[in-house]
Amino acid sequence: MTAIDISTRPIPFVSGASGPAGHFDEFCDRPLEFMARAYKECGEVSEFDMAGLRTVLMVGPEAHEAFFRAPDDQLNAAAAYQMMVPVFGEGVQFGAPPEIERQQLRIQYQGLKYEKMINYAALVAGEVEEFIKDWGDEGEKDFYEAFTDLTLKTSTHCLLGSELRYQLTHEFEELYGDLDRGLDPAALRDPYQAKESYRKRDLARTRLQELVSHSVRSRRDRGVVSNDMLQIYMEAQYEDGTKLTDHEITGMVIWFMFAGHHTSSNTAAWTLVEMARNPQYFADLHAEIDALYAKQKELSMNALRDIPLLEGFVRESLRLHPPLNVISRRVLKEFTYKDYTVDVGKNVMLCPHVAHKLPDYFPNPDVFDPKRAAPENVFASIAFGGGKHKCIGNAFALLQVRAIFCALLREYDFALSQGPEDYKEVMPTLILRPSEPCRLRYKRRTH
Ligand code: HEM
C-alpha cells in the first residue's frame, strides 16, 4: 500500500488549457498578461502547461528566496535555458559542462572589475556627446530605436574596445537582430523547430563567427594588444591551461552583448518615457545634474553615485518595466516549497513583472514613484535576479544608464509626443520593451 503524503497539496492549475498545446499559445502571444492571470487566479504558486512542459510559476519574496537558494543540481539554469545554446554556440555558457561554464563566467567577470569600470563612465559620456551632436535645438525621435543604437555602441565600446566599436557595420547590426529574433517565447519550449527565424539565427551565428575570428586573427597578425574584453578572451586560459577557441571567443562576445545590450537599452527607453510622463520632476532632475557638472567637468564613477533622484527613476523603471521576465530553472531533483512538491522534469519560473506589483511590498504598485523606498526584503525586487546566478553586469548597466541621462539632461528637456498610454509594454522576444513608435520630443535647455 502506498502512503499518502498529507503534507503535500496539488499545485493549482491555471484555467484555459487547450488540447496538447495547453497554455503554450496564450503564453507566447501575451506572456506578461498570462503570468499575471496565473498569479491572480492561483496565488503564490501556480502550474501551467507549455505544450507538454509543465511549468510552475512562483511569486513573492519567500518563493523567490527558495528558488534562488536551491542548489544547481536541484533547480538547474542550463537545462532551462537551452534556447540560448544555438545563439551563443555549443560549448559556451549553458551549452558547456557546468565546470567550463563556471570558468567562462570568471573570465567574463574580468571585464567588469572596478578598475575597468572607472574608465567606462567617460567612454559612455563621449558616446552620448557624439550621439547628440547633430540634434540641433529641438526635434523628435523614436527613442526605442535611438537607445538600441546608442547602447550597442556604448556596450561594444566599453566591453569590446574601440576596434570593434568602429567596425560596427550595418551587417553586424543585422546579424545581431537575426540572433535576437531567434529568441521568441516559443524558443523556451523548443529552440530547434523548423522556423524561418531560427534558420536566420543559425546563419547569423555562423557569419558572426567569421567576423569575430577575422578580428582576432588580424590582432594576432599585427601584434596588437588592447585593453578590452576581446583581449581578455584571447589571453584567457581555462584552469587546465588551454585557451579559448575562436568559436568560444565568438560565443563569449555574443553572450556578453546579449546579456547587456537590450536589457540596458530598454531600461533607458522606459526611464525616458517615465520622465516625460512625470514632468513635475524635471526641475529637480536638472538641478541634480547641474550640481554634478558644477563640481566636475568629466563624469566619474564616484560622481554617478551621488544622483539620488535619477537613480530613483532608473530603479523605479526597472521595477515597473523589468527587461527580463522569464527567470527559469529545470527541476533535476524534487523541489519542495511550503506544502507543494514540484516533480523532476518540470520547469520553475519567476516573473519580475508580476512580482514587482505586489502591494505588500510596493504600495500603490501601478504608480510610478521615483522616491519609493526600496522594500526591506531583498528578494522582493528581482530585476537583476538573485542568488548565485544574479546578474554580474548590474553595476555596469546602472553606470551606463545613469551616464547616458547625465549627458542628455545636461543639454535637453524632453516631452511625450504620443498619448501617455500609447507607450505600451510588448515582449516579442524574451525582453520586455516599449511598443513602436516610441517617439518623444526634445528641446535644448536655456541655462
Ligand atoms: C538593466 C540591465 C540588466 C538587467 C535587467 C539584467 C538582468 C539579469 C537577470 C534577471 C539575470 C539572472 C537570470 C537568471 O537567474 O536566470 C542576469 C544574469 C546575467 N547578466 Fe544581466 N542584466 C542586465 C545587464 C547586464 C549587463 C550589462 C551584463 C554584462 C555586461 C549582464 C550580464 C549577465 C550575466 C553574464 C548573467 C548570468 C550570470 C550567471 O549565470 O551566473 N547583464 N541578468
Side-chain angles (χ1 to χ4, degrees), residues 296-437:
Q296 55 181 87
K297 287 217 161 4
E298 298 284 317
L299 285 184
S300 72
M301 193 70 177
N302 279 343
L304 289 170
R305 289 205 179 112
D306 195 17
I307 37 180
L309 185 56
L310 177 55
E311 207 179 296
F313 261 93
V314 179
R315 197 179 45 236
E316 187 69 342
S317 299
L318 280 165
R319 179 186 73 83
L320 266 184
H321 315 289
L324 257 182
N325 285 296
V326 174
I327 301 181
S328 207
R329 305 285 185 265
R330 179 69 49 84
V331 181
L332 299 188
K333 281 187 195 153
E334 196 176 78
F335 173 64
T336 305
Y337 173 66
K338 293 189 179 168
D339 293 343
Y340 302 110
T341 297
V342 188
D343 297 333
V344 171
K346 293 184 179 178
N347 261 12
V348 184
M349 200 180 264
L350 307 185
C351 175
H353 195 268
V354 176
H356 291 176
K357 293 196 176 175
L358 296 179
D360 284 351
Y361 302 93
F362 306 99
N364 296 320
D366 293 321
V367 174
F368 185 93
D369 177 4
K371 298 188 175 171
R372 184 186 288 280
E376 273 174 28
N377 190 324
V378 291
F379 289 100
S381 298
I382 53 167
F384 289 109
K388 66 185 98 38
H389 290 288
K390 189 170 180 176
C391 181
I392 63 168
N394 65 348
F396 173 67
L398 294 175
L399 172 133
Q400 179 169 225
V401 176
R402 285 176 204 161
I404 288 174
F405 280 99
C406 285
L408 286 185
L409 291 169
R410 182 190 199 183
E411 294 296 328
Y412 290 104
D413 253 324
F414 295 87
L416 300 176
S417 13
Q418 306 165 195
E421 300 313 317
D422 292 338
Y423 303 83
K424 298 198 187 322
E425 295 180 320
V426 291
M427 214 171 101
T429 65
L430 288 177
I431 305 272
L432 169 70
R433 66 169 175 79
S435 56
E436 286 182 280

Side-chain angles (χ1 to χ4, degrees), residues 27 40 100 106 126 135 138 144 147 154 170 191 193 210 213 216 225 230 243 247 276 283 314 337 341 360 378 392:
F27 183 91
K40 202 169 160 204
I100 297 293
R106 189 180 44 81
W135 280 17
E138 58 186 302
Y144 167 71
F147 282 137
T154 51
H170 185 58
Q193 54 191 290
E210 286 169 11
S213 303
V216 169
V225 177
L230 194 59
K243 293 199 148 203
H247 172 83
V314 179
Y337 173 66
T341 297
D360 284 351
V378 291
I392 63 168

Side-chain angles (χ1 to χ4, degrees), residues 36-81:
R37 178 169 86 74
Y39 172 66
K40 202 169 160 204
E41 215 177 274
C42 307
E44 149 174 74
V45 182
S46 61
E47 181 163 325
F48 54 97
D49 178 5
M50 294 275 279
L53 176 63
R54 287 300 182 109
T55 302
V56 173
L57 176 68
M58 298 175 71
V59 181
E62 249 187 295
H64 302 160
E65 184 171 355
F67 175 102
F68 287 128
R69 287 199 193 280
D72 268 341
D73 64 359
Q74 184 178 35
L75 294 191
N76 189 272
Y81 289 131

Side-chain angles (χ1 to χ4, degrees), residues 28 30 72 86 124 164 180 193 211-212 238 285 288 290 301 317 367 384 408:
C28 292
R30 296 178 301 282
D72 268 341
V124 175
L164 270 179
D180 205 23
Q193 54 191 290
L211 293 176
V212 174
Y238 289 116
L285 274 171
E288 190 171 276
D290 292 347
M301 193 70 177
S317 299
V367 174
F384 289 109
L408 286 185

Side-chain angles (χ1 to χ4, degrees), residues 73-94:
D73 64 359
Q74 184 178 35
L75 294 191
N76 189 272
Y81 289 131
Q82 283 299 295
M83 73 276 188
M84 304 313 296
V85 176
V87 179
F88 301 162
E90 291 288 345
V92 180
Q93 200 213 20
F94 297 134

